[in-house]
């Protein structure tokens, strides 16, 4: 059975429609990331049809965390250094990155006393 795709402007089979629309969303999100000076380092296609964009941490991603536009969703420790994983959405596509843990000034003061 064919299903109409707004993006394609025509009827496609259900699986083709899902992959095509995910690819279009991915392209638009990557272009917006470029406009926001976010460096895309890769794309992950997990289960289903929803890709994730992998970003490199920079000053912009740090600001997204500070202003609440991005959220932490995990941690890992490598060679004694803790790395936090962050995520946000751009045009409906999940964007993820990792960064070395940075304690806030408030937490630094608490640990130093």
């Amino acid at each position: 059975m064919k299903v109409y795709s707004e993006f394609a402007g025509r009827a496609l089979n259900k699986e083709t429609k899902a992959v095509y629309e995910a690819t279009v969303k991915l392209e638009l999100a990557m272009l917006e990331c470029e406009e926001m000076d976010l460096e895309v380092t890769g794309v992950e296609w997990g289960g289903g049809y929803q890709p994730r964009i992998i970003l490199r941490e920079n000053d912009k991603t740090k600001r997204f965390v500070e202003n609440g536009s991005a959220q932490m969703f995990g941690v890992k420790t490598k060679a004694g250094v803790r790395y936090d994983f962050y995520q946000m959405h751009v045009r409906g596509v999940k964007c993820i990155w990792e960064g070395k843990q940075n304690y806030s000034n408030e937490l630094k003061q608490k640990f130093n006393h």
Side-chain angles (χ1 to χ4, degrees):
M1 178 176 160
K2 301 246 178 185
V3 183
Y4 185 77
S5 168
E6 294 287 332
F7 288 117
R10 58 186 284 193
L12 303 170
N13 74 46
K14 187 177 177 180
E15 289 78 19
T16 303
K17 176 183 184 281
V19 172
Y20 178 80
E21 290 181 355
T23 303
V24 171
K25 283 175 58 176
L26 179 62
E27 178 183 18
L28 294 172
M30 289 177 70
L31 290 170
E32 189 160 326
C33 285
E34 181 70 23
E35 288 177 14
M36 293 189 296
D37 294 325
L38 299 173
E39 184 180 347
V40 175
T41 63
V43 173
E44 290 180 345
W45 288 83
Y49 302 111
Q50 299 307 313
R52 297 191 310 180
I53 295 174
I54 303 167
L55 301 174
R56 177 167 285 130
E57 183 182 51
N58 63 18
D59 290 338
K60 286 265 184 153
T61 59
K62 290 175 185 175
R63 274 186 255 139
F64 289 134
V65 172
E66 290 170 4
N67 71 24
S69 298
Q71 297 79 36
M72 188 174 82
F73 72 94
V75 297
K76 75 175 181 181
T77 303
K78 183 169 45 174
V81 178
R82 179 179 157 167
Y83 292 87
D84 296 332
F85 291 95
Y86 299 97
Q87 66 183 1
M88 66 181 209
H89 285 83
V90 174
R91 290 191 163 256
V93 176
K94 186 180 288 187
C95 297
I96 63 170
W97 67 93
E98 70 177 55
K100 284 185 183 176
Q101 181 188 37
N102 293 315
Y103 290 108
S104 68
N105 287 334
E106 182 180 305
L107 286 175
K108 284 180 187 176
Q109 290 172 359
K110 184 177 179 180
F111 288 123
N112 289 332
H113 290 292

